[in-house]
Amino acid sequence: MGSTEERYVQEAFDSNWIAPLGPNVNEFENTIARYVGEKTHVAALSSGTAAIHLALELLGVSKGDEVLCQSFTFSASANPILYLGATPVFIDSEKDTWNLSPELLEEAIVDRLSKGKKPKAIVAVHLYGMPYKTNEIARISKAYDIPVVEDSAEALGSSYESAKCGTFGDIGIFSFNGNKIITTSGGGALLSSNAKYKEKAVFLATQARDDAPHYQHSNVGYNYRLSNVLAGIGRGQMEVLDDRVSARRANFDFYYKELSEFDKIQFLLEPRGYFCNRWLTCILTPSFQAREKIRLALLEENIESRPLWKPMHLQPVFTENLNFLDGTSEDLFNRGLCLPSGSNLSSNDLERVVSVIKNEI
Ligand SMILES: *Cc1c(COP(=O)(O)O)cnc(C)c1O
């Protein structure tokens, strides 16, 4: 936490706005909008998963539809597709950003069109804060007229060519879960340049109540709005977001300085024009065995590290799903490791991590 979160939470108590609406919710939304660009309309929600669910529904995804989804991601990118009775089709990553492969995406679209099944949406993810190939994905989206849900859960503070992540898709989403770069303990946001999407998202997130003196419902709604208490934490957190990005990037710079001289350790570098918040610093080792050797040596020292996200097409829950693959994400999963990356790591902590790794390579 920074220094002002408690003050905003206290304001919620003092004004008795202990509800999923109120001044903190409005101001949190305004602050996010100012951060990513004034033309963006923001709806604060109870989680990033809820935001993806509403985004897909707003784009018309419903029962029987197919949605193209980046395979290399956290399961929350894909699960909401199933909440709507639709089916995810998983697409592999490319090597420059580890995100959605434009080639495989286009191949998948052409294939599905030839079978008479036009995909309803594309879920693209800025994994580990690295922006996906925004120009290529936008070109394909436009060419085939398929909208993009931009999963920016891990990429608040990242940008491409000075445009902030969260603003590239038809609808973008953020997460403020406890593990993200800033947090409200649990929370999320849906954003769009289209004011109608925000309005409709807030309507659906507050039980889809029609304008009537009694309780009247013409749509199925959800209880997905963010608490005014938690939005107070969010307001304080937005004030330290840039500091958190600097701290995470300093972690990356330290690991890179200490380890990049070893051929056996590779880092994901920012292509020209890309700015990554370095939510997590990840390394690639030569093999699964080499990765495990480092992970277990760290664990021995009571230092937690984790393999990269296991791709969705390899998850037991998605074994039956169609996919378009070239082996990239499976290889990343086998050889990759997320290093300790918290915003509050001391230089002593970082040196400990690096010395264990140096011993194992
Ligand atoms: C965290 C995360 C989500 C889900 O956000 P919650 O707020 O935890 O529901 C979705 N996608 C990705 C890539 C994430 O990392």
Side-chain angles (χ1 to χ4, degrees):
M1 290 292 109
S3 53
T4 57
E5 288 84 348
E6 279 183 308
R7 176 157 65 77
Y8 294 120
V9 170
Q10 189 62 46
E11 275 178 24
F13 277 75
D14 292 344
S15 58
N16 208 27
W17 278 104
I18 312 294
L21 78 167
N24 278 339
V25 172
N26 299 339
E27 204 38 52
F28 185 37
E29 291 177 343
N30 293 338
T31 308
I32 296 167
R34 275 195 300 272
Y35 186 81
V36 298
E38 296 283 359
K39 290 202 189 81
T40 309
H41 304 271
V42 180
L45 300 170
S46 55
S47 70
T49 311
I52 295 170
H53 187 183
L54 292 181
L56 292 166
E57 181 161 333
L58 291 171
L59 296 174
V61 174
S62 65
K63 197 165 180 203
D65 287 335
E66 287 184 0
V67 174
L68 304 168
C69 182
Q70 182 166 325
S71 185
F72 192 41
T73 188
F74 175 52
S75 65
S77 305
N79 283 334
I81 299 167
L82 288 110
Y83 303 167
L84 291 161
T87 309
V89 172
F90 293 112
I91 315 287
D92 218 329
S93 290
E94 41 76 20
K95 292 184 176 64
D96 300 335
T97 73
W98 297 357
N99 293 313
L100 198 56
S101 157
E103 285 73 30
L104 291 171
L105 176 66
E106 192 154 18
E107 189 185 315
I109 294 171
V110 169
D111 175 85
R112 301 323 291 151
L113 287 174
S114 77
K115 312 262 176 357
K117 280 231 57 124
K118 183 177 172 180
K120 215 46 190 276
I122 297 163
V123 178
V125 189
H126 307 297
L127 212 64
Y128 302 113
M130 183 62 80
Y132 62 72
K133 293 196 165 172
T134 54
N135 289 340
E136 285 86 337
I137 302 301
R139 180 190 61 74
I140 294 168
S141 159
K142 200 152 172 254
Y144 294 94
D145 189 30
I146 304 173
V148 174
V149 175
E150 180 195 358
D151 182 345
S152 204
E154 300 177 3
L156 179 56
S158 298
S159 55
Y160 172 70
E161 300 278 2
S162 80
K164 294 274 198 245
C165 285
T167 62
F168 293 105
D170 294 79
I171 300 181
I173 74 96
F174 288 134
S175 166
F176 307 108
N177 196 45
N179 60 339
K180 299 306 197 289
I181 194 154
I182 62 166
T183 181
T184 58
S185 77
L190 178 149
L191 42 160
S192 179
S193 57
N194 184 339
K196 290 236 163 58
Y197 284 143
K198 182 215 163 148
E199 199 183 311
K200 190 97 192 285
V202 171
F203 170 73
L204 291 172
T206 51
Q207 310 286 19
R209 199 176 153 193
D210 296 341
D211 190 14
H214 55 277
Y215 281 85
Q216 169 95 8
H217 305 274
S218 314
N219 287 269
V220 175
Y222 306 94
N223 184 2
Y224 276 175
R225 200 74 162 119
L226 185 66
S227 155
N228 192 58
V229 178
L230 300 185
I233 302 178
R235 286 179 72 184
Q237 286 277 281
M238 284 302 290
E239 294 174 11
V240 295
L241 172 57
D242 287 337
D243 297 340
R244 298 294 181 268
V245 172
S246 303
R248 303 265 172 161
R249 286 178 62 87
N251 291 339
F252 177 90
D253 291 344
F254 181 84
Y255 286 130
Y256 186 79
K257 176 169 70 72
E258 294 292 322
L259 297 171
S260 60
E261 67 190 274
F262 300 95
D263 304 340
K264 290 182 176 166
I265 304 282
Q266 288 175 303
F267 291 83
L268 179 63
L269 300 178
E270 290 163 323
R272 185 195 294 274
Y274 284 65
F275 180 86
C276 178
N277 67 7
R278 296 295 183 189
W279 174 57
L280 300 185
T281 294
C282 308
I283 55 169
L284 285 182
T285 66
S287 65
F288 173 79
Q289 288 77 10
R291 197 280 307 285
E292 280 301 278
K293 193 159 169 276
I294 293 174
R295 188 181 70 80
L296 294 170
L298 288 168
L299 196 60
E300 193 72 19
E301 292 297 318
N302 205 19
I303 299 170
E304 186 184 29
S305 64
R306 294 232 184 116
L308 304 191
W309 294 120
K310 181 171 183 174
M312 292 305 108
H313 71 271
L314 298 175
Q315 298 288 353
V317 66
F318 294 126
T319 43
E320 301 296 314
N321 286 74
L322 190 63
N323 48 50
F324 291 81
L325 308 173
D326 66 5
T328 300
S329 62
E330 183 167 359
D331 179 53
L332 292 169
F333 170 60
N334 284 330
R335 297 193 291 123
L337 191 66
C338 304
L339 299 181
S341 301
S343 307
N344 53 0
L345 288 174
S346 65
S347 47
N348 198 29
D349 294 333
L350 289 163
E351 271 159 25
R352 268 184 67 213
V353 176
V354 159
S355 76
V356 175
I357 297 174
K358 282 181 179 170
N359 260 330
E360 298 302 317
I361 51 179

